[in-house]
Amino acid sequence: MLTSLAFIFLLGLSLGYVFMKLKLPALIGMLLTGIALGPYVLNLLEPSLLSVSVDLRQLALVIILTRAGLALDIKDLMKVGRPALLMCFVPACFEIAGMMLIAPPLLGISLLDAAIMGTVVAAVSPAIIVPKMLHLMDQKYGTSKSIPQLIMAGGSVDDVFVIVMFTAFTGLALGGNISAVSFLQIPVSILSGLVLGVLLGWLLTRYFKRYHMRDSVKVLIILSVSFLLVALERVLKGVLPVSGLLAVMALGATLLKNYEVLALRLSAKFSKLWVGAEILLFVLVGATVDIKYAVGAGLSAVVVILFSLLFRMTGVFVCMIKTQLTLKERVFCMIAYLPKATVQAAIGSLPLAMGLPCGKIVLTVAVLAILITAPLGAFGIDMTYKRLLEKETN
């Protein structure tokens, strides 16, 4: 496993640097590193490491969402208002609808299979957009209208909504029924996650103010609490829906609101942790990609993905109606909501594991969605933010 980790970090860093020099996102190099090292190409990664790959990717996601929370000013988010709420579910609904419209005739699947595929593909990747939005906040691009905060917060809740929809549709495909209770899980998980995150953030604020300790120790405490929140989501499944990742983000935002000086210092610490976590996340995502199978899916799968992306962008544009955002800023929001990676890597193989007839094609489309949208979205953000967003001067 140590040899595998050495390959991951050394080659991930090297290829990431090469792509940065080519003015392309470093994560493309990391994804390609994973594909090359993974079981479908060179097979140089230890199976024991791949067996805990999901947990390692979750760890990296917790790190970046905690950092996002520590930079998410609630006042800025409240200032955005209605569009922030709409971004949590409207673009995903549009994309699922687009998939249900085009996938049956092009891929020869049923409407229900297309709905399952839509929920897998519709989730935006916080692991890509959160670091990008944090960078924009540091550089003061779009911050006067809270655009990075809007995209960052919407993206985290978007995943909760999509995963609940995925659970409902796969349950129906396995012979169950979709009930009102299934959809009630969405607001309940969001609300419970927010309440839990705010409560723990408030308790940690009081604890840190009362007891002196090194910032590194505080980082370990916050990480440990965040891991427990994610685990709690699994423990309470079927009892009380809780969004663990949203709770993690809310915890960080509460720390910022109540103890800003500490939050800024801890944010810098988490930024350093993200250097290694980012490589681990995207190399391991790349390792899940069966490149031969993805290529064999043909042009139809690519057309389905691109068509559903157009629906998603339309959904984002609808969320921006009657806002103060300019056309350029709305276009940027549409671009920033494109990238997919982590959720697709996590749930893309589940329909196949469940024995659903659509399992293989859903996995293929999920893999292709990562390969197409992760670089496209990241590259689009990097190449357009200076042209499309205003820089705050004061």
Side-chain angles (χ1 to χ4, degrees):
M1 192 182 287
L2 291 177
T3 306
S4 297
L5 287 171
F7 284 146
I8 286 171
F9 287 115
L10 290 175
L11 292 177
L13 277 170
S14 301
L15 265 185
Y17 179 77
V18 168
F19 274 81
M20 282 177 66
K21 283 295 180 184
L22 295 171
K23 306 294 183 185
L24 294 169
L27 70 89
I28 300 177
M30 297 170 196
L31 282 169
L32 291 176
T33 299
I35 292 170
L37 294 177
Y40 303 105
V41 183
L42 297 177
N43 196 23
L44 294 177
L45 296 181
E46 184 68 29
S48 56
L49 178 65
L50 293 173
S51 69
V52 294
S53 170
V54 172
D55 294 307
L56 290 173
R57 296 201 303 266
Q58 192 89 318
L59 184 151
L61 200 54
V62 165
I63 288 172
I64 195 58
L65 286 178
T66 306
R67 186 187 164 210
L70 291 167
L72 189 61
D73 194 323
I74 301 298
K75 294 193 295 290
D76 287 339
L77 200 56
M78 295 294 287
K79 197 166 66 178
V80 177
R82 176 184 57 85
L85 178 64
L86 294 178
M87 288 283 275
C88 298
F89 65 93
V90 171
C93 286
F94 268 72
E95 188 164 8
I96 293 168
M99 188 67 76
M100 291 173 72
L101 186 65
I102 194 170
L106 276 187
L107 300 178
I109 59 176
S110 70
L111 203 59
L112 180 57
D113 290 343
I116 293 170
M117 185 182 291
T119 57
V120 170
V121 174
V124 73
S125 174
I128 294 175
I129 64 169
V130 168
K132 298 293 181 188
M133 295 308 108
L134 288 172
H135 175 70
L136 296 193
M137 289 164 68
D138 291 339
Q139 299 293 314
K140 301 290 183 184
Y141 276 96
T143 48
S144 61
K145 295 181 182 176
S146 304
I147 293 171
Q149 293 92 327
L150 162 70
I151 293 166
M152 199 161 63
S156 63
V157 181
D158 170 275
D159 289 354
V160 177
F161 172 76
V162 166
I163 289 169
V164 172
M165 294 289 284
F166 171 78
T167 305
F169 285 129
T170 50
L172 187 63
L174 290 168
N177 295 306
I178 295 182
S179 64
V181 177
S182 304
F183 293 105
L184 190 62
Q185 290 180 25
I186 298 169
V188 171
S189 63
I190 291 169
L191 186 62
S192 58
L194 285 173
V195 169
L196 195 56
V198 168
L199 176 62
L200 287 171
W202 180 77
L203 290 172
L204 284 175
T205 301
R206 296 198 54 149
Y207 180 72
F208 291 151
K209 284 183 176 179
R210 184 167 183 178
Y211 299 103
H212 176 73
M213 64 193 76
R214 294 174 60 185
D215 284 349
S216 301
V217 176
K218 292 170 184 168
V219 167
L220 287 174
I221 291 172
I222 291 170
L223 271 180
S224 300
V225 171
S226 299
F227 295 155
L228 289 173
L229 284 171
V230 173
L232 187 65
E233 180 177 348
R234 289 195 293 269
V235 171
L236 294 179
K237 189 174 181 181
V239 180
L240 175 68
V242 178
S243 171
L245 293 178
L246 193 59
V248 167
M249 207 166 170
L251 187 156
T254 305
L255 274 172
L256 176 66
K257 187 178 188 307
N258 295 297
Y259 201 171
E260 186 176 354
V261 176
L262 174 64
L264 294 175
R265 293 205 310 267
L266 293 181
S267 182
K269 295 274 187 185
F270 276 95
S271 296
K272 292 172 183 175
L273 279 176
W274 175 243
V275 173
E278 180 184 30
I279 299 167
L280 200 60
L281 175 64
F282 288 110
V283 172
L284 289 175
V285 166
T288 66
V289 174
D290 184 343
I291 195 70
K292 293 176 185 173
Y293 188 59
V295 170
L299 187 62
S300 297
V302 175
V303 171
V304 164
I305 292 166
L306 295 177
F307 185 83
S308 63
L309 284 179
L310 289 176
F311 268 70
R312 180 175 195 84
M313 294 173 80
T314 305
V316 173
F317 191 83
V318 167
C319 295
M320 303 295 142
I321 292 173
K322 293 187 178 179
T323 64
Q324 295 181 348
L325 299 184
T326 64
L327 181 60
K328 284 184 177 181
E329 289 164 340
R330 296 180 192 199
V331 169
F332 176 80
C333 291
M334 291 159 70
I335 293 169
Y337 239 48
L338 290 180
K340 305 162 188 302
T342 40
V343 174
Q344 287 71 28
I347 68 173
S349 60
L350 290 185
L352 186 61
M354 292 172 182
L356 294 176
C358 63
K360 203 167 185 181
I361 189 64
V362 168
L363 177 59
T364 302
V365 172
V367 166
L368 284 171
I370 294 172
L371 289 174
I372 293 168
T373 66
L376 181 66
F379 181 73
I381 292 168
D382 288 344
M383 293 297 105
T384 61
Y385 75 89
K386 289 184 179 178
R387 296 184 195 131
L388 301 179
L389 300 181
E390 291 180 10
K391 185 168 184 177
E392 197 172 358
T393 51
N394 51 6

